[in-house]
Amino acid sequence: MDFKEILKLISENLNCGIFIVDKYGKVVFYNKSVNDLAGLNVENAVGKHILEIFPRLTEETSTIVKVLKTGTPIKDYVQNYYNYKDKYVTILSSSIPIYEGGRLEGVVEIFSDVKKYNNFNRTKENYNDTCAAVYTIDDIIGSSSEKKELKDKIRKTADSFSPVLVYSETGTGKELVVQSLHNESSRRDKPFIAQDCAAIPETLFESMLFGTKLGSFTGAKDSKGLIEAADGGTLFLDEINSMNITLQAKLLRFLQESKIRRLGDNTLREVNVRIVAAMNEDPYKAIESGRLRSDLFYRLNVINFSLLPLRDSRCDIEELSVYFLNHFNKKLDKKICGFSSGVSEFFQRYDWPGNVRELKHVIEHAVNIADGDLITLNALPDYINEKKIKNCSCNVSTDTAAENIYTGSLNDQLEQFERRVIIDALEKYDCNVSKTSQKLGIPRQTLYYKMNKLNIKMEKNTAHIVNNSF
């Protein structure tokens, strides 16, 4: 397969248009996705000059011609023009020069319809159709002290007008908290609009955030941006550290003044909206690396929620697992009763780098392929089983007497060993749970969970097993 065939194969599977012209501006290649926007076919495009194909474009307005003249790329450019069928379109394009041996030999332009980015001219009603806060505080699963404190904080701060910053690892449920905050407040019947800052090109984001005035640029209409559309309600800006630094300064000004100016407009408009932002990295590291303005951080961080990763809230794993099992039983029309002891034990030992989201998807996978009434280790995804094998490696004692202490299956022996370790530790620290959990390197809630599971009871500064037989 030659280069052109490979390029054709790749480009036909992309949701964007691709134009390639030679150093003279003549089209040498383009893909099928161009058709809707450009109104072209191979017969009337290849071999023709770009300005011949688009007669309303000029050397001054064509990005491809500009790059051919300057040799400098033009990225994320909002371009309005009449296509070959005289249809007016707006695209987001990037035009990149092609060099060979240090000489400019052509330009490749990649472009897509601005509508792909949810069209910054949407109305308030359009936003409400696509954004809704469906989660409430009751959807936050877990009865650990951390979860109780989280819910209590949501209730206390829900009706505040102060900005909020939520930061935690990916998959911990940031949007769950944000939607609960909105639905617990008096703003619950007003708009809730969520926007991932990383999903929108910089050149479009200012228009989307602040709105546009008619004629502010070619094709611009009088339209509300995200902030105005959320008036009276909540605007959730996820991955705030992905927002352009200059735009962060403009957002800060709005937070200070509660007024916005649409792009190209001189009129200030007062807007009542609560800004909630989120990020999946330490904000101080983002400030150090220049991805987050420190003044914006301090303004947003008036109320903050720092969510624990699942590995640090293991006492919630069992409750979350049962919740997801019931959810997927209903969704997939299954009747699985629970988890084998091996799975429960592994869930407690595994680090869960993908947090609650990973736990959810692991259980969904297991429910799909489980054969019996219980989810067993064999039903877990392959990548989990690979990690399980690595994580279960242990030091083998050469003491012959020690080899015969534990009997039964591997799971039985692991439980016996864990009982012995916990009982010894409890007795060493006079059944002080806080000291014992600290020395064992696990949260108190996890220790209580294991004691209950392993039938360990404390009495008069001693620990022993109840109702147990080996």
Side-chain angles (χ1 to χ4, degrees):
M1 184 179 292
D2 62 18
F3 172 76
K4 286 188 176 180
E5 286 298 318
I6 295 173
L7 180 61
K8 182 179 179 181
L9 179 63
I10 294 172
S11 63
E12 285 179 354
N13 287 279
L14 294 177
N15 293 321
C16 59
I18 297 178
F19 254 117
I20 301 178
V21 302
D22 63 17
K23 61 184 177 182
Y24 304 109
K26 293 184 178 181
V27 177
V28 295
F29 176 86
Y30 72 95
N31 67 343
K32 290 182 179 178
S33 296
V34 171
N35 291 344
D36 291 338
L37 286 175
L40 301 177
N41 57 53
V42 173
E43 287 72 26
N44 64 25
V46 173
K48 293 185 178 180
H49 194 278
I50 192 73
L51 297 183
E52 182 182 356
I53 297 171
F54 303 107
R56 294 212 190 188
L57 280 179
T58 66
E59 292 188 359
E60 289 72 31
T61 58
S62 169
T63 51
I64 290 179
V65 174
K66 285 181 183 178
V67 175
L68 283 173
K69 285 184 175 181
T70 65
T72 304
I74 299 175
K75 298 181 180 180
D76 292 337
Y77 182 77
V78 179
Q79 187 174 8
N80 304 276
Y81 67 94
Y82 287 88
N83 68 15
Y84 191 77
K85 293 183 178 179
D86 213 32
K87 178 183 177 182
Y88 188 77
V89 294
T90 303
I91 62 171
L92 180 72
S93 65
S94 291
S95 304
I96 313 297
I98 303 171
Y99 285 94
E100 185 176 347
R103 295 176 299 181
L104 181 64
E105 295 294 339
V107 173
V108 57
E109 180 167 279
I110 302 172
F111 63 93
S112 56
D113 192 343
V114 166
K115 292 177 182 177
K116 173 182 176 182
Y117 301 101
N118 297 327
N119 196 343
F120 48 76
N121 287 320
R122 289 187 303 184
T123 65
K124 178 177 177 180
E125 290 71 24
N126 294 145
Y127 282 117
N128 288 341
D129 288 342
T130 57
C131 302
V134 296
Y135 295 115
T136 69
I137 204 166
D138 294 329
D139 293 307
I140 299 176
I141 306 301
S143 46
S144 64
S145 59
E146 291 84 2
K147 281 294 195 302
K148 290 176 182 176
E149 288 173 8
L150 173 63
K151 294 178 183 180
D152 186 49
K153 189 173 182 178
I154 289 173
R155 293 188 183 98
K156 286 180 178 178
T157 60
D159 269 328
S160 172
F161 61 84
S162 300
V164 178
L165 182 63
V166 184
Y167 50 94
S168 66
E169 295 179 8
T170 298
T172 52
K174 292 188 289 291
E175 185 149 356
L176 191 68
V177 171
V178 175
Q179 292 192 19
S180 298
L181 197 65
H182 175 82
N183 282 326
E184 197 69 20
S185 75
S186 56
R187 298 173 182 265
R188 68 181 67 89
D189 296 323
K190 300 296 183 179
F192 174 87
I193 294 178
Q195 180 60 58
D196 182 353
C197 299
I200 305 298
E202 292 179 8
T203 50
L204 285 183
F205 207 171
E206 184 175 0
S207 301
M208 289 190 66
L209 195 59
F210 294 102
T212 57
K213 177 179 171 58
L214 179 66
S216 56
F217 57 85
T218 307
K221 304 176 183 177
D222 279 325
S223 63
K224 297 177 180 180
L226 293 166
I227 294 175
E228 276 189 272
D231 190 22
T234 303
L235 175 60
F236 173 40
L237 297 173
D238 198 8
E239 303 297 340
I240 190 72
N241 49 315
S242 296
M243 182 183 287
N244 175 270
I245 290 293
T246 303
L247 194 53
Q248 287 184 27
K250 294 183 179 181
L251 176 62
L252 175 62
R253 179 173 292 276
F254 166 71
L255 287 167
Q256 293 170 336
E257 300 176 355
S258 297
K259 295 178 181 178
I260 62 106
R261 182 183 286 112
R262 293 181 183 177
L263 200 64
D265 197 0
N266 294 320
T267 304
L268 284 174
R269 304 167 190 267
E270 190 165 349
V271 184
N272 171 23
V273 61
R274 189 180 197 186
I275 301 293
V276 181
M279 53 195 303
N280 61 7
E281 68 172 325
D282 185 327
Y284 293 103
K285 290 183 179 179
I287 291 170
E288 289 176 7
S289 63
R291 294 192 302 278
L292 180 68
R293 291 178 61 107
S294 58
D295 48 5
L296 177 61
F297 165 67
Y298 294 122
R299 186 68 189 97
L300 288 171
N301 202 44
V302 176
I303 298 172
N304 64 72
F305 292 86
S306 180
L307 308 183
L308 287 176
L310 191 56
R311 62 182 173 276
D312 292 336
S313 54
R314 294 184 185 276
C315 49
D316 290 324
I317 291 176
E318 183 178 18
E319 193 171 346
L320 283 164
S321 299
V322 172
Y323 174 82
F324 290 136
L325 175 61
N326 291 335
H327 171 76
F328 289 115
N329 265 338
K330 184 177 180 181
K331 189 172 182 179
L332 300 172
D333 195 26
K334 294 290 190 79
K335 295 180 180 179
I336 297 172
C337 301
F339 304 88
S340 70
S341 60
V343 169
S344 298
E345 182 68 24
F346 175 69
F347 278 6
Q348 287 295 325
R349 293 178 180 273
Y350 183 53
D351 277 343
W352 298 110
N355 294 298
V356 178
R357 183 183 294 125
E358 183 182 11
L359 175 63
K360 178 181 178 180
H361 295 324
V362 164
I363 293 175
E364 180 180 6
H365 175 278
V367 172
N368 268 289
I369 69 170
D371 293 323
D373 294 334
L374 294 178
I375 289 177
T376 64
L377 291 169
N378 290 334
L380 302 184
D382 290 341
Y383 83 92
I384 285 281
N385 280 314
E386 289 173 4
K387 291 184 179 181
K388 173 172 63 66
I389 292 169
K390 292 178 183 178
N391 291 342
C392 285
S393 60
C394 59
N395 295 323
V396 180
S397 173
T398 56
D399 186 345
T400 306
E403 291 179 3
N404 297 320
I405 292 176
Y406 307 114
T407 60
S409 68
L410 177 60
N411 288 330
D412 289 339
Q413 294 184 58
L414 287 172
E415 287 187 357
Q416 293 171 49
F417 176 78
E418 194 169 20
R419 282 191 187 95
R420 189 70 266 156
V421 170
I422 292 174
I423 289 174
D424 288 347
L426 284 167
E427 292 183 341
K428 181 177 180 180
Y429 297 104
D430 297 323
C431 288
N432 184 310
V433 173
S434 295
K435 287 184 178 180
T436 302
S437 62
Q438 184 178 359
K439 294 299 179 180
L440 291 175
I442 59 177
R444 283 186 310 158
Q445 293 83 355
T446 302
L447 179 57
Y448 277 124
Y449 164 78
K450 289 182 177 293
M451 289 170 61
N452 181 62
K453 178 185 174 185
L454 299 172
N455 298 319
I456 298 173
K457 186 177 180 181
M458 296 184 297
E459 287 181 348
K460 298 180 181 180
N461 292 336
T462 62
H464 61 275
I465 304 165
V466 295
N467 298 328
N468 184 73
S469 60
F470 295 124

